[in-house]
Amino acid sequence: AQSVAQPEDQVNVAEGNPLTVKCTYSVSGNPYLFWYVQYPNRGLQFLLKYITGDNLVKGSYGFEAEFNKSQTSFHLKKPSALVSDSALYFCAVKTGGSYIPTFGRGTSLIVHP
Amino acid sequence: DGGITQSPKYLFRKEGQNVTLSCEQNLNHDAMYWYRQDPGQGLRLIYYSQIVNDFQKGDIAEGYSVSREKKESFPLTVTSAQKNPTAFYLCASSLTSGTGAYQPQHFGDGTRLSIL
């Protein structure tokens, strides 16, 4: 079975400060990890993914994520937050044995001016 | 541009009524999915389909039905048996063959269903 945990329902950060949105996972086998962003009344948009290789992956809108196998984590980061980054963020995991991802419950990111 | 189109954007259901949510994709993806989103509960999988004329129940299929007569289309019917249908419904698609496991899902912009 595969599972994803996003331990924070909400993250608050001031504009210009670095942000981190946390994600941990549990799978049998190698994980394929994804981050998505959702703006109000919209669908999810893909941000970035880790499949294999370099543990630091870069994605859209200046976001990056670090894969840590020993801690089974895939935290989303951005060096300098923007008010427009305020949205709901979802982490998801798949394995080679299943094409259906498991999503976390989502973390609401609020960036204050 | 390729993408997923969900319609309508907003839908209202009367007591005892079935309603159908439309989902169409032109990405040539083989798999399609329906999710229900409630505040604070993330995404819950209702049904999914990997090929035409075949589909499987997800975690919360009771009170819902689907069909997959064409690769491009995966409509969801919310039946009168679904007693709490008020939610945001999201349709998604993805590749499953070849490098499909490495690929993200693509999502439509959702349908918000409310009870009158």
Side-chain angles (χ1 to χ4, degrees):
Chain A
Q2 56 194 37
S3 65
V4 173
Q6 293 182 241
E8 301 154 317
D9 290 336
Q10 185 171 304
V11 170
N12 291 277
V13 64
E15 188 174 31
N17 284 359
L19 69 88
T20 299
V21 182
K22 295 180 180 178
C23 172
T24 60
Y25 65 90
S26 175
V27 298
S28 299
N30 293 322
Y32 305 142
L33 294 152
F34 303 82
W35 275 104
Y36 295 84
V37 61
Q38 184 183 31
Y39 298 100
N41 296 310
R42 301 294 301 275
L44 277 65
Q45 298 176 31
F46 168 70
L47 279 179
L48 52 78
K49 67 180 179 182
Y50 172 83
I51 303 301
T52 188
D54 194 345
N55 289 342
L56 184 65
V57 293
K58 296 186 183 296
S60 307
Y61 312 120
F63 285 93
E64 57 189 29
E66 186 168 11
F67 172 66
N68 188 316
K69 187 172 183 177
S70 62
Q71 296 186 7
T72 61
S73 67
F74 189 56
H75 301 330
L76 181 70
K77 300 181 180 183
K78 188 174 183 181
S80 178
L82 300 172
V83 172
S84 57
D85 292 330
S86 299
L88 191 57
Y89 290 81
F90 289 95
C91 181
V93 68
K94 288 197 285 186
T95 65
S98 173
Y99 63 90
I100 302 172
T102 297
F103 285 88
R105 292 164 63 96
T107 298
S108 177
L109 173 66
I110 300 175
V111 181
H112 301 276
Chain B
D1 285 343
I4 299 181
T5 302
Q6 290 188 242
S7 62
K9 184 76 172 172
Y10 300 95
L11 187 58
F12 298 91
R13 195 192 87 171
K14 297 179 181 179
E15 289 288 336
Q17 184 182 44
N18 294 351
V19 292
T20 297
L21 285 60
S22 171
C23 178
E24 303 276 335
Q25 56 101 357
N26 60 4
L27 298 165
N28 201 30
H29 286 170
D30 42 349
M32 298 187 74
Y33 315 75
W34 275 105
Y35 292 94
R36 171 176 172 145
Q37 185 176 21
D38 296 281
Q41 294 197 42
L43 301 179
R44 292 186 289 171
L45 183 63
I46 305 173
Y47 270 98
Y48 61 99
S49 167
Q50 189 176 2
I51 58 173
V52 173
N53 293 323
D54 188 47
F55 46 82
Q56 284 76 43
K57 294 181 179 179
D59 301 319
I60 56 164
E62 185 175 352
Y64 301 96
S65 66
V66 293
S67 63
R68 186 88 186 275
E69 297 177 359
K70 299 186 301 182
K71 186 176 184 179
E72 301 79 18
S73 179
F74 192 41
L76 174 74
T77 297
V78 183
T79 74
S80 58
Q82 173 50 247
K83 298 306 180 187
N84 183 24
T86 298
F88 191 52
Y89 291 87
L90 287 165
C91 180
S93 70
S94 73
L95 291 169
T96 60
S97 57
T99 60
Y102 305 158
Q103 304 305 324
Q105 290 179 313
H106 293 247
F107 285 81
D109 273 340
T111 293
R112 189 166 296 280
L113 176 62
S114 304
I115 293 182
L116 280 177

